[in-house]
Amino acid sequence: MQGVNFIAIDFETAAESRASVCEAGICVVRDGKVTETRSWLVRPVGNRYCYWNTQVHGIRPADTANAPDFPEVWAEIASYLADCPVLVAHNAVFDMGCIRDSLELYGLEKPDVTYYCSLRAARKIYDFSCNKLDYLCQRFDICCGTHHRAGNDAEMCARLFLREIRDTGWGDLTSMNAYGGKL
């Protein structure tokens, strides 16, 4: 898939606010191949956690007490976006909301980024009763670690999106424009 370049991204949140990011993960795809996966624990404001969020991802205040805050982690993620300003997320409404709300909270500039949603694509392409990331990855034998950990979910999303591109027969990201937008 020459020319298919994007960064899959995923966030876990500590509380009900989308600006309470406690973990960020990315998976870099160059020419249709996964080249790098990274994740960062992030200290949310006040290091405050909601019980239900912790039940989902298992991240606790002790895990992020000494972690960098969002602006420091975002600076690293932004360095990747400088080379490839294209994001993919499964349920992009949530992940793009995490970015927008966190950038606003910290007074950071919003980058010029295009994004695509592998969930929206899956709903159009496949006829499954469930389109959750872990279900689709199990269905397609995409295994990348623990669900609801940001780096693992970012890589699962990247591999799923590549599968979606192949399954539709589209050779580039512009064909996926119906499943995306601008940050």
Side-chain angles (χ1 to χ4, degrees):
M1 286 189 216
Q2 193 69 10
V4 175
N5 303 307
F6 62 86
I7 299 168
I9 195 161
D10 185 75
F11 295 101
E12 300 299 330
T13 55
E16 48 286 327
S17 167
R18 289 187 182 172
S20 68
V21 171
C22 62
E23 188 175 39
I26 63 170
C27 180
V28 180
V29 173
R30 300 260 185 239
D31 291 323
K33 295 189 182 337
V34 169
T35 60
E36 181 179 1
T37 301
R38 291 200 55 197
S39 65
W40 299 262
L41 287 172
V42 181
R43 186 181 59 251
V45 173
N47 207 30
R48 187 182 73 77
Y49 281 74
C50 169
Y51 170 82
W52 297 111
N53 293 53
T54 298
Q55 292 304 303
V56 170
H57 50 60
I59 303 168
R60 303 183 184 302
D63 299 324
T64 56
N66 298 311
D69 60 10
F70 183 83
E72 188 175 334
V73 171
W74 182 253
E76 287 190 57
I77 293 170
S79 69
Y80 286 89
L81 292 173
D83 293 334
C84 182
V86 179
L87 291 173
V88 174
H90 198 76
N91 191 11
V93 169
F94 174 80
D95 294 290
M96 297 309 116
C98 288
I99 294 171
R100 285 186 198 109
D101 291 359
S102 295
L103 293 175
E104 183 178 325
L105 175 69
Y106 289 100
L108 300 172
E109 187 176 331
K110 184 172 72 170
D112 184 21
V113 171
T114 300
Y115 71 86
Y116 298 94
C117 182
S118 60
L119 173 61
R120 283 179 62 195
R123 287 177 175 158
K124 294 285 186 184
I125 298 166
Y126 308 115
D127 189 26
F128 297 132
S129 60
C130 179
N131 290 296
K132 291 182 179 182
L133 181 62
D134 59 334
Y135 174 84
L136 292 169
C137 288
Q138 286 174 356
R139 183 92 178 181
F140 295 127
D141 276 336
I142 298 170
C143 180
C144 294
T146 305
H147 185 41
H148 289 301
R149 290 309 302 254
N152 294 331
D153 281 359
E155 186 166 337
M156 290 188 321
C157 174
R159 293 183 186 282
L160 174 63
F161 195 65
L162 290 168
R163 169 72 186 248
E164 291 170 343
I165 292 170
R166 280 192 303 274
D167 286 353
T168 59
W170 297 331
D172 60 35
L173 291 180
T174 58
S175 303
M176 301 296 275
N177 282 345
Y179 312 113
K182 294 293 276 181
L183 181 62

